[in-house]
């Protein structure tokens, strides 16, 4: 347990510098603080290490953990943005009704979207509304709902899939 106290002291000594180091990588100081917190949890695991490892350069090791977590977060965020662009479907693109028939079809589709969204669990509906219709980031959705960013992403994705399944292929 004493070694963990040493790791805690080391972490607290370098925490501000680690946040400064991670901020330009992730692009946001709040996210950088989350990365540094996660790095600490990996630096001092909750369960005892079955192999009693001695880390020769603990500060460098902590910086490497922060760097790897920050870069992984950026990659994940980039993939998330690409996936969001790929997930656009016909009912997500603003419609400009031109004829009475198109206007009626649009109204029917919007009624079907509203009915599908009413079937969603509350967190899923809120996540979808905030992210797709309110323009909020997944980080903002996660903060509002009190969940992690991956959970917010899952909520939005499941809600989208539910609505898409209810609408089926484009009509007309």
């Amino acid at each position: 347990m004493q070694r963990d106290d040493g790791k805690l002291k080391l972490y607290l000594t370098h925490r501000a510098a680690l946040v400064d180091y991670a901020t330009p990588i992730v692009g946001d100081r709040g996210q950088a603080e989350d990365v540094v917190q996660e790095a600490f949890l990996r630096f001092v695991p909750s369960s005892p290490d079955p192999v009693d490892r001695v880390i020769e350069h603990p500060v460098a090791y902590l910086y490497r953990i922060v760097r790897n977590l920050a870069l992984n977060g950026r990659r994940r965020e980039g993939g998330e943005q690409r996936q969001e662009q790929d997930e656009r479907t016909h009912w997500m693109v603003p419609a400009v009704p031109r004829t009475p028939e198109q206007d009626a079809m649009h109204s029917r589709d919007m009624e079907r979207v509203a009915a599908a969204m009413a079937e969603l669990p509350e967190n899923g509906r809120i996540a979808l509304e905030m992210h797709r219709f309110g323009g909020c980031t997944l980080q903002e959705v996660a903060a509002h709902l009190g969940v992690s960013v991956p959970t917010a992403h899952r909520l939005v994705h499941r809600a989208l899939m539910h609505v898409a399944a209810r609408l089926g292929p484009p009509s007309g």
Side-chain angles (χ1 to χ4, degrees), residues 106-148:
H106 177 72
S107 294
R108 189 189 75 234
D109 284 348
M110 290 301 98
E111 289 171 5
R112 291 172 61 203
V113 168
M117 289 183 64
E119 298 170 354
L120 293 169
E122 183 178 12
N123 272 359
R125 181 185 50 74
I126 291 170
L128 179 62
E129 288 173 349
M130 287 181 70
H131 187 61
R132 292 299 179 156
F133 305 125
C136 296
T137 65
L138 289 173
Q139 290 82 8
E140 292 168 330
V141 173
H144 178 77
L145 295 176
V147 299
S148 68

Side-chain angles (χ1 to χ4, degrees), residues 3-172:
R3 191 161 29 108
D4 287 350
D5 290 342
K7 286 182 175 181
L8 174 61
K9 186 175 180 180
L10 181 82
Y11 167 77
L12 292 174
T13 301
H14 294 278
R15 184 186 175 288
L18 289 165
V19 171
D20 290 341
Y21 175 69
T23 299
I25 298 172
V26 297
D28 176 70
R29 189 160 184 87
Q31 281 183 288
E33 290 177 0
D34 290 344
V35 164
V36 170
Q37 179 78 29
E38 177 68 24
F40 173 71
L41 295 175
R42 293 184 185 204
F43 186 59
V44 182
S46 59
S47 59
D49 193 350
V51 178
D52 197 16
R53 294 182 290 154
V54 175
I55 300 170
E56 289 187 35
H57 305 286
V59 175
Y61 181 61
L62 192 52
Y63 271 88
R64 187 172 50 200
I65 294 170
V66 168
R67 180 179 178 276
N68 290 343
L69 288 171
L71 290 173
N72 287 344
R74 281 193 49 183
R75 279 188 217 108
R76 200 172 30 250
E77 191 175 289
E80 180 180 291
Q81 289 171 351
R82 280 190 303 278
Q83 184 178 4
E84 287 173 10
Q85 291 170 353
D86 294 344
E87 289 177 352
R88 292 187 63 104
T89 60
H90 72 284
W91 52 270
M92 294 174 70
V93 178
V96 182
R98 286 175 247 147
T99 66
E101 293 82 17
Q102 288 173 328
D103 191 26
M105 192 170 20
H106 177 72
S107 294
R108 189 189 75 234
D109 284 348
M110 290 301 98
E111 289 171 5
R112 291 172 61 203
V113 168
M117 289 183 64
E119 298 170 354
L120 293 169
E122 183 178 12
N123 272 359
R125 181 185 50 74
I126 291 170
L128 179 62
E129 288 173 349
M130 287 181 70
H131 187 61
R132 292 299 179 156
F133 305 125
C136 296
T137 65
L138 289 173
Q139 290 82 8
E140 292 168 330
V141 173
H144 178 77
L145 295 176
V147 299
S148 68
V149 173
T151 299
H153 181 262
R154 259 191 313 280
L155 288 169
V156 170
H157 181 74
R158 286 179 182 158
L160 280 172
M161 294 302 100
H162 174 80
V163 172
R166 291 294 185 260
L167 291 179
S171 56

